């Protein structure tokens, strides 16, 4: 019997605790992504305001770090919406690389992807 199934009257039924834990993890991950993307949009907006006022700016490395931790959807949307950092090619390249690194990191952390990579590499 699977650890996520229980025998009940001859039938296998899912254990509520396993499903509840998976649901709680999914909700926490979704909440984290909402928070990261909200923070990313706020950071891009703040940097745009600072640029217009000729004040101290948010570093490009900090903006790229938002892509690395999963805020890339809001980053790209913010660039388009606020018309900020959308022309500077050197930043566009750095942000795209950070976005790709985010996907690679996610792939490395996901058990299925990690297994596929290990099989591909022959380990």
């Amino acid at each position: 019997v699977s650890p996520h199934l229980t025998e009940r009257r001859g039938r296998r039924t899912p254990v509520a605790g396993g499903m509840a834990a998976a649901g709680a993890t999914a909700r926490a991950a979704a909440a984290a992504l909402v928070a990261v993307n909200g923070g990313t949009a706020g950071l891009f907006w703040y940097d745009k305001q600072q640029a217009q006022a000729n004040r101290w700016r948010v570093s490009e490395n900090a903006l790229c770090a938002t892509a690395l931790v999963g805020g890339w959807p809001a980053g790209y949307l913010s660039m388009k919406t606020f018309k900020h950092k959308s022309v500077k090619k050197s930043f566009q390249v750095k942000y795209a690389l950070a976005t790709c690194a985010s996907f690679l990191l996610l792939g490395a952390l996901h058990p299925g992807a990690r297994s596929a990579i290990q099989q591909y590499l022959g380990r």
Side-chain angles (χ1 to χ4, degrees), residues 44 48 60 79-80 82-93:
F44 271 86
K48 176 69 175 188
E60 287 187 355
M79 284 184 237
K80 185 173 182 138
F82 304 140
K83 295 180 177 71
H84 187 55
K85 298 284 188 184
S86 56
V87 176
K88 190 173 181 184
K89 292 297 176 196
S90 63
F91 177 77
Q92 293 290 318
V93 169

Side-chain angles (χ1 to χ4, degrees), residues 29-76:
L33 280 175
V34 167
V36 165
N37 279 277
T40 297
L43 203 56
F44 271 86
W45 176 84
Y46 176 75
D47 190 48
K48 176 69 175 188
Q49 300 304 308
Q50 293 295 92
Q52 290 174 333
N54 280 335
R55 290 194 209 133
W56 193 262
R57 305 274 304 275
V58 176
S59 73
E60 287 187 355
N61 288 341
L63 294 173
C64 287
T66 64
L68 190 59
V69 296
W72 59 267
Y76 285 112

Side-chain angles (χ1 to χ4, degrees), residues 67-70 98-110 113-114 117:
L68 190 59
V69 296
T99 301
C100 289
S102 173
F103 284 118
L104 291 173
L105 182 61
L106 184 62
L109 293 174
H110 189 277
R114 190 170 51 240
I117 291 168

